Structures are given as C-alpha cells and as structure tokens.
Amino acid sequence: MNSALDNPACDLTTGNSCSFAQILSSRLNATVTPGEAYFTSACSPCVFPNAHIPSAALSAPAQQLLALRLIPSTASGGSLFSTSFPLRLRDDKTSGRVDANTGIGLLSAYYLFDNYKLANPYPNANVPGYDAAGTGRTQVVNLGDTKTLGSTTVNEARVEFVRVNNSFNQPKGGTGHTLDSLGFTTGGNGIIPLAPNIEGVPEMDFNQLNMVIGVPSRPNRLIENTFQVVDNFSKVVGTHTIKVGGSFHYNQLVEQLDNVLNGNFVFNGSETGVDFADFLIGAPTNYVQGQATPSNGRSKYFGVYGQDSWRARSNLTLNYGLRWDVSTTWS
C-alpha cells in the first residue's frame, strides 16, 4: 500500500507529507525519506516494516486516547460500531381546563404541560461512550371569555401563550477531558476550544472503519414563544348570521446553535492508505472548526375577516365572506 508521500515533487517547505517524513524521522530516530512507502506486501525499505506501527511513531493524542480507552479496540467486518445500548425517551404530559359562568360571560382557562427527556447513546458517534441528552418542554395557556350580548349576539375573546423549549445533542459521554490533557496542542496555532463547558474528546470520523467517536459537536437549543389574541363577534339578523373578527400573533424565536465549536477531525487514509493508521500517527485528512451566530428572530401576524351565512330558502344557504391576512418577515 503506497503512501501519500509518493510525490516526486515533494517540497519540504510546503508539503504536509514531507513534514510527516520529518516528524516520523524524529519519532523513530531513523531517517524517513519523502516518497518512501509506509507499508506494502514486500517493501524494502518502508517506514513500517511488516505493517507494524511502533509505539514511538504514535502521536500524543493517539497515545492518550488509547491509554484512556476512549477509542474502541476491536473491529468486525471492516467496520466498528455498536447498537448495544437503547435509546430511551420519557415523555410526561398533563393538561386541565376550568370553566365558570360569571356575570361577564363564560370564562375558561386551559393549560397544557408536555415535558420529555431523551437519552441517546449514539447522537453522532456510533460506538458507546459518547451519549447525549435531549430535553424539551411545551407549555400552552389559553384564556377565553364567551359573552352573550342579548338573544342574537355573542362575542368570543381568547388570549393564548405557547412556549416551546427544546435542547438537542447535549453532550454527556466523552466530556471531562481537556484537549490539553488528551495531547492536543491548544492556543496559538493549535486548537482553541470555543465551548470549554463541553470540552472533551473531539469528534473524529473514520471513513474506512465507518466509525465516529467523540463528543457531539453540534448541541443546539431552540426556544419559541408565541403570543396570540383572538376575537370573534357574531350576530343573527333575520335570516343572516353575520360574523366578524380578527387575530394577532407575535412570535419570538431564539436559536442557540453550535457548529463543531471544539473541532472535528476526518481520517480517510490519505496519508498512509489506512484511516486508522493515519489517526495513530496524527495525520488527519482535514480538520473543521466553526462557530454559528445565535439568532433572535421576531415576526408578527394579523388577520381580519367578515362573513355572512344567509339562509335564502329552507333548502338553500349561501356562505360568503372576505379575509385579509398580513404576515411580516422575520427580523
């Protein structure tokens, strides 16, 4: 299996592959030549004879992750994964309504509470040890007053509030380790942890092994509040039932987004030809780190309508009306 170092135009001042020749020469205390094969069925010379990578060649993060058993040590069928832990969801709901006839009309109050907790063993990683939690809470409050104004007139008014608060991929497993303690270079030209509160094993994707390890790198939280006011007025005039009304909504949406704040490594074998070997010597194919801007959106909606239900004959009723809706853009 030939190395990515097999590049006759290799330049020691610019190429990562050439840098690895220098790095491995220092680790192994032996000369590694740019372009030299890492391991083949019969290579002489090669960097790793008999396809054996000595411990001296391992990068500091690889040594720490293996020593702390933070990366699985068994593979089956060319891939490494597990479904041995169940996903658990607990969802508690309750609601209630109270009605009362009073001098100002039929008053009603309704409340809904819905709360869930999710224990996800594989939110992103497909091996045990990197689980995450999800939580969500929905609350609805609806207050209404239906007032009869004489024998032919009724007015219905409602005020409603809905709040949804959901968190996704909140890390649990794999945290409690600083990047420094795992052997990664931090600060300066190293990794700068943008979310120290969830610092831990960074996400690592292995292409050939079909394996993902690491703390979930995209925990998010969404909060939405909706305020609504509704009024409907109806009156019977002879054979006509006339209704007019309107509603107003005000929406608040808060999005607290994380986008690989503490980094994501990808290994696909671009250096040695084997993704796990690339990990062992510390040669990722690419590294991604980002930061998402939080969003605080606001929007408004209102609508008004008028309609008539006319019983023109005993066997003929005509329904007609007009409605106007306005929904503002998010700001």
Side-chain angles (χ1 to χ4, degrees):
M1 189 173 295
N2 291 328
S3 159
L5 295 179
D6 296 334
N7 179 0
C10 188
D11 181 348
L12 284 172
T13 64
T14 61
N16 286 336
S17 294
C18 295
S19 297
F20 267 95
Q22 293 176 314
I23 291 171
L24 291 172
S25 294
S26 174
R27 290 179 185 170
L28 298 172
N29 197 25
T31 301
V32 176
T33 305
E36 183 179 348
Y38 277 99
F39 36 77
T40 63
S41 56
C43 62
S44 181
C46 57
V47 182
F48 303 128
N50 301 317
H52 173 74
I53 302 178
S55 59
L58 303 187
S59 68
Q63 293 181 49
Q64 286 297 101
L65 290 168
L66 291 172
L68 294 172
R69 300 182 181 274
L70 294 172
I71 187 167
S73 59
T74 58
S76 174
S79 61
L80 192 55
F81 59 90
S82 172
T83 57
S84 59
F85 292 87
L87 182 149
R88 299 186 183 278
L89 172 66
R90 173 169 177 166
D91 195 349
D92 299 313
K93 295 180 173 70
T94 186
S95 65
R97 174 172 173 150
V98 176
D99 296 302
N101 274 311
T102 71
I104 60 174
L106 175 62
L107 300 180
S108 64
Y110 171 78
Y111 177 70
L112 168 71
F113 177 85
D114 184 355
N115 193 76
Y116 81 83
K117 293 182 180 179
L118 174 68
N120 188 351
Y122 309 109
N124 189 42
N126 54 7
V127 296
Y130 301 101
D131 55 320
T135 59
R137 177 173 293 179
T138 299
Q139 298 179 84
V140 178
V141 178
N142 194 323
L143 305 176
D145 180 16
T146 302
K147 175 68 173 176
T148 300
L149 306 171
S151 59
T152 61
T153 306
V154 176
N155 189 80
E156 177 197 16
R158 292 200 317 273
V159 177
E160 185 177 80
F161 171 67
V162 180
R163 177 177 173 85
V164 179
N165 186 344
N166 292 330
S167 296
F168 310 95
N169 291 336
Q170 301 302 309
K172 293 179 64 180
T175 58
H177 305 276
T178 65
L179 294 175
D180 277 329
S181 70
L182 294 175
F184 293 94
T185 301
T186 59
N189 292 326
I191 302 173
I192 299 176
L194 299 178
N197 59 312
I198 58 171
E199 192 172 353
V201 180
E203 181 182 334
M204 298 186 183
D205 302 344
F206 296 83
N207 182 49
Q208 294 161 328
L209 274 179
N210 187 28
M211 179 179 71
V212 180
I213 70 168
V215 173
S217 58
R218 295 172 178 84
N220 298 315
R221 186 182 186 191
L222 303 177
I223 302 173
E224 184 171 13
N225 297 318
T226 303
F227 303 86
Q228 176 176 303
V229 178
V230 178
D231 190 82
N232 298 300
F233 176 86
S234 64
K235 183 174 182 63
V236 177
V237 181
T239 57
H240 296 266
T241 300
I242 300 171
K243 293 183 179 181
V244 295
S247 62
F248 173 78
H249 297 186
Y250 178 64
N251 296 87
Q252 300 173 325
L253 178 61
V254 177
E255 297 175 293
Q256 299 173 356
L257 308 177
D258 292 328
N259 186 28
V260 289
L261 286 175
N262 294 334
N264 176 198
F265 294 90
V266 176
F267 299 90
N268 66 12
S270 59
E271 180 67 26
T272 66
V274 178
D275 57 359
F276 196 72
D278 282 7
F279 159 74
L280 291 175
I281 66 172
T285 302
N286 56 59
Y287 171 77
V288 178
Q289 187 175 16
Q291 188 170 19
T293 303
S295 170
N296 295 282
R298 303 290 185 266
S299 74
K300 300 181 181 69
Y301 157 86
F302 68 87
V304 293
Y305 75 93
Q307 70 180 54
D308 181 23
S309 180
W310 175 32
R311 184 164 182 159
R313 309 177 65 129
S314 61
N315 61 352
L316 175 64
T317 300
L318 301 178
N319 295 293
Y320 46 90
L322 184 66
R323 184 177 183 91
W324 182 45
D325 295 285
V326 176
S327 183
T328 66
T329 57
W330 286 91
S331 61

